[in-house]
Amino acid sequence: MTVANRFTYEPLTESTATTLALELKLFPKDAVLTCNEIGDGNLNLVFHVSDKINGKSIIIKQALPYAKVVGESWPLTLKRNQIEANALRVAAKYVPELVPVVHFTDENLAITVMEDLSHLEISRKGLIDGKHFPLLSKHIGTYLAKTLFYTSDYALDPKVKKEQVQEFINPELCKITEDLVFTDPFFDKDTNNFEDGLTSAVHNLWNDAEVKLEVAKLKKKFLTNAEALLHGDLHTGSIFASELETKVIDPEFAYYGPMGFDIGQFIANLLLNSLSVNQENQHKLFTHIDTTWHVFNTEFTRLWNEESTEEYSKIPGFLDYTLKEIFEDTIGFAGCELIRRTIGLAHVADLDGIENEATRLVAKNNAIELGKYLLKHRTNISTTEELLQRVRSVLQHD
Ligand code: SR1
Ligand code: MG
């Protein structure tokens, strides 16, 4: 493959990815490149290309025309690669320190070449290994406040906002979320995947009309509320971290949706991890949840007071109303994520990796119970302290 004829899509190999890196002049001519495909996600190819001589390295991410997790029987748009690159560029305007640098993109090849972050670790893996990442929640709270505020009607000119909504129309990836997060886990669908030991909990869930009504309300918000540009898949596998740094990656599910969706997914994934760890680590994860919301709340409030362009922002009560709605949505979306990661198509290693069957089943039952509880009670919980108190009490009653 040459850059000159890169007009027809074909999946890269380690060899053609190396050629491409050289042709793009991202390395000196005398570079000695090594290339490895390192993608372990559900959807894409990811090549790590490095130069042995000067130590420079890059990542080439390429979308496949199908969902890797299922196979070629599940076709998927290549456009998601451009959505991801554009979403990274938008985030870089507001939180450059929290996203990778994009070096190059090509729509035909569905590739994005970006900064190599392999000095960091995927936060899900680190958390499973008992690491703490002390700044994770401060950084993600800031990421959420800035990306969500600056892409909303509170900051953008209404015409520009609508152009942005249009640019980020992402129907196929949204459909995955509509099905896998909001629909399939709550009905008897073929995509679901759960252990025999969960059958009775799953049947109870499917028969719970109160839960279904709450999920219906949240799905409606996901479908209709174009509030801000979301990452769209902000789980701990989409975040690189170290003791000092945090970088958010993979926004291929980006679209204009309700702010609480991103916050809820992040918090749910911390909760999923907390179900498999000892009490000391659980306490640290709960502190991360508290910090995420408090940093988001404080920073969002500051931006609202100092920079909102919306006439009604100064009206007493409107900020409180908005934050209350985002908090309730956050708790509800977290409930959906807890359930779908336990019995739906895409699981998490935090739970599946628990080796002892009895312990694993307790953790998974807890995830389902907690998810149901959050869905049903989200409008009666007003602070993270109260949320965490209720989480503790649900977990004590297994
Ligand atoms: C078919 S894609 C399955 C899941 O992987 C992605 O990371 C999203 O979370 C999606 O729901
Ligand atoms: Mg992803």
Side-chain angles (χ1 to χ4, degrees), residues 42-43 67 69 74 176 180 233 235 253 340-341 345-346:
N42 292 328
L43 301 176
V69 66
W74 188 335
I176 291 180
L180 297 187
D233 196 25
H235 55 84
F253 284 76
R340 76 97 170 204
R341 291 293 189 186
L345 177 108

Side-chain angles (χ1 to χ4, degrees), residues 19-77:
T19 311
L20 184 67
L22 281 172
E23 290 188 4
L24 290 173
K25 302 198 176 9
L26 294 166
F27 293 94
K29 275 201 187 113
D30 63 342
V32 179
L33 297 185
T34 340
C35 176
N36 294 302
E37 203 281 310
I38 55 165
D40 61 355
N42 292 328
L43 301 176
N44 304 293
L45 295 173
V46 180
F47 297 92
H48 178 258
V49 188
S50 62
D51 178 6
K52 276 189 192 150
I53 310 253
N54 67 16
K56 186 183 167 184
S57 53
I58 54 158
I59 291 294
I60 302 179
K61 180 167 176 179
Q62 184 180 42
L64 285 166
Y66 54 86
K68 200 167 80 177
V69 66
V70 177
E72 297 190 30
S73 63
W74 188 335
L76 210 51
T77 177

Side-chain angles (χ1 to χ4, degrees), residues 136-371:
L136 178 68
S137 43
K138 182 171 175 260
H139 289 162
I140 296 299
T142 306
Y143 170 92
L144 289 164
K146 291 193 174 171
T147 58
L148 298 177
F149 176 82
Y150 281 120
T151 61
S152 75
D153 282 297
Y154 308 117
L156 292 178
D157 169 82
K159 184 168 174 283
V160 174
K161 152 81 178 344
K162 287 171 187 69
E163 284 162 5
Q164 289 286 291
V165 173
Q166 195 171 26
E167 179 180 341
F168 286 99
I169 292 286
N170 195 357
E172 287 189 44
L173 281 278
C174 284
K175 178 74 164 73
I176 291 180
T177 305
E178 288 148 24
D179 290 344
L180 297 187
V181 177
F182 293 109
T183 311
D184 296 5
F186 301 93
F187 295 88
D188 186 0
K189 300 278 183 180
D190 288 346
T191 55
N192 290 326
N193 170 21
F194 54 87
E195 311 188 31
D196 289 347
L198 293 177
T199 304
S200 121
V202 171
H203 283 262
N204 284 341
L205 174 78
W206 290 344
N207 289 322
D208 195 325
E210 198 186 339
V211 165
K212 283 185 166 170
L213 175 60
E214 296 312 312
V215 179
K217 293 178 195 169
L218 290 157
K219 181 178 177 186
K220 179 181 171 183
K221 280 210 167 178
F222 184 86
L223 288 165
T224 60
N225 187 355
E227 196 175 20
L229 179 61
L230 307 188
H231 176 286
D233 196 25
L234 192 58
H235 55 84
T236 48
S238 298
I239 302 169
F240 270 108
S242 71
E243 291 267 310
L244 299 173
E245 273 184 280
T246 306
K247 300 273 184 185
V248 174
I249 60 164
D250 274 4
E252 66 199 310
F253 284 76
Y255 89 112
Y256 262 80
M259 295 189 186
F261 186 75
D262 273 359
I263 315 173
Q265 285 218 318
F266 178 61
I267 286 179
N269 279 272
L270 294 177
L271 285 172
L272 284 162
N273 185 258
S274 81
L275 297 175
S276 70
V277 298
N278 63 29
Q279 264 198 328
E280 190 192 332
N281 282 350
Q282 190 170 75
H283 177 74
K284 288 178 180 168
L285 288 154
F286 288 174
T287 305
H288 269 323
I289 291 173
D290 190 49
T291 305
T292 303
W293 178 259
H294 281 290
V295 171
F296 168 77
N297 193 341
T298 307
E299 186 60 13
F300 189 89
T301 300
R302 184 187 71 74
L303 293 168
W304 177 290
N305 290 332
E306 293 177 7
E307 298 189 36
S308 179
T309 52
E310 167 55 54
E311 201 70 33
Y312 280 103
S313 294
K314 301 272 179 293
I315 294 296
F318 188 37
L319 172 63
D320 288 348
Y321 166 86
T322 303
L323 283 169
K324 184 171 183 295
E325 188 184 28
I326 297 172
F327 191 61
E328 284 176 14
D329 290 355
T330 292
I331 297 173
F333 290 129
C336 296
E337 177 74 356
L338 283 167
I339 290 171
R340 76 97 170 204
R341 291 293 189 186
T342 310
I343 64 168
L345 177 108
H347 286 201
V348 288
D350 314 54
L351 296 182
D352 280 358
I354 303 173
E355 275 174 26
N356 180 282
E357 189 187 1
T359 315
R360 191 174 63 247
L361 286 175
V362 169
K364 289 189 173 184
N365 266 303
N366 279 338
I368 298 169
E369 283 312 307
L370 192 53

